[in-house]
Amino acid sequence: MNKKILIAIMACLSLAPLWLQAQELTPKQNPQTKKWGFVDESGKEVIPFIYDYALEFSEGLAVVNKNGKVGRELDFDIHGKQIAVTRFKGGKWGYVDKTGKEVIPLNYRGAKSFSEGLAVVRTSFLYYEYIDKTGKVIIPFRYRSADSFFEGKASVARYPINYKKPSETRYLWGIIDKNGNAIIPLEYDYPVIFHDGMALVSSKGKYGYFDEAGKEIIPVKYDDVRKFSNEGLAAVKFNGKWGFIDKSGREIIPVKYDGVRNFSNNEGLAAVKFNDKWGFVNLIGEEVIPCQYDEADILPNGVILVLSNDKLGFIDKSGQEIVTVKYDDVRDFSKDEGLVGIKLNGKWGYIDETGKEVIPCQYDEISQFTDGVAEVVLNGETIKIDKEGNKVE
């Protein structure tokens, strides 16, 4: 054989595994045999249908199972409550590459997909550990529950030291790094998840926050805590009262209110309740709209809907009336149409954004305007009207 031809053939053969690893493969179940394998983008079988279950490829490897089945088993939800769940379980689990080679043998009782170079595997009935892509144990089995790594951190759980029966004990959660070191101690009631660099934790009914370095920046003392808003503030409850703190734990809005709503995106206002009346505070804690309404809420267009003495109206962000608080019911402003439906003395009409009544309250029912037209019911007849109240065909 020509030497150049032989070299070319050998080169192609050496590149074949690289090409196979680069192709996109999808797990698929054979409808006749009920076995799982992998197909390419054209639907052609690449890895034989010999498995009882298979997951998507992640970081070049896919989880596969043999001799498992769908069944029910007991687990705990995120609140530590025991629940029965349906999942594929049993059998043996391992990993294949895109050539179909079982690169990590099917020796495990459970397995999750690889993330950031590590995967969670179940080695016994009770415990999980982390392995690398060669199957080497990186973090030994010691966890009762374990999540995949994300940005160098993973949420894990253990049993309390003095537990009696696994089925009667809730887990204690924390965060570890890739060396298995605890960033946040495993002593909290729920899975610990970071969001915008902050992790909400709970212990014995109290809440607080940790930063990504594992420092407790907001003491675990609050009765309730909400997520931080885009403005960097979070609502907290302490001794039955609500307020807002910043990400350093500093109290920005006094914890004195009976209730609060989160800051509205881009509006810089939050509804607060004091002495059974609602008003609004700004980002520095100033009460810009006094607590004088029975109900109040900011609509998506920035207008505030208020209720007082069973009558509805609208105010702006400074507290000035846009629509007099006198109506029995109101509808949202029609998108891009600038009109809102109002009900007075049992009849419906429309006002514009200045509060001017542009179509009298004379209809039994109305709809929002779309492309300048709305359907209304007048004396039992459904008709269409334009934005001046004229009947249109």
Side-chain angles (χ1 to χ4, degrees), residues 10 21 37 49 70 84-85 110 135 171 200 204 211 246 253 388:
M10 294 299 293
Q21 291 288 1
F49 293 94
V70 175
V85 295
Y171 304 154
L200 176 64
K204 299 177 181 178
D211 66 14
D246 65 15
I253 296 169
E388 283 74 46

Side-chain angles (χ1 to χ4, degrees), residues 331-344:
R331 301 276 173 84
D332 287 345
F333 279 98
S334 297
K335 185 178 181 181
D336 301 325
E337 301 285 348
L339 297 183
V340 62
I342 41 90
K343 189 177 186 181
L344 185 63

Side-chain angles (χ1 to χ4, degrees), residues 28 41 111 133 135 164 207 212-213 240 288 298 304 334 344:
K28 184 177 181 180
E41 293 176 331
K133 292 183 181 179
K164 296 179 180 179
Y207 297 84
E212 289 187 296
V288 293
I298 299 180
I304 300 171
S334 297
L344 185 63

Side-chain angles (χ1 to χ4, degrees), residues 268-331:
L269 295 179
V272 293
K273 187 178 185 181
F274 189 72
N275 290 337
D276 213 31
K277 297 293 183 180
W278 287 90
F280 288 84
V281 295
N282 62 18
L283 292 167
I284 60 175
E286 295 174 335
E287 201 167 283
V288 293
I289 299 175
C291 294
Q292 61 185 3
Y293 298 103
D294 300 323
E295 262 295 346
D297 202 10
I298 299 180
L299 301 181
N301 63 355
V303 173
I304 300 171
L305 174 65
V306 294
L307 172 70
S308 182
N309 297 321
D310 292 327
K311 298 298 180 181
L312 292 160
F314 292 97
I315 61 174
D316 63 20
K317 291 188 290 184
S318 70
Q320 295 297 311
E321 276 194 355
I322 301 173
V323 176
T324 304
V325 183
K326 68 175 184 178
Y327 295 102
D328 303 316
D329 201 356
V330 297
R331 301 276 173 84

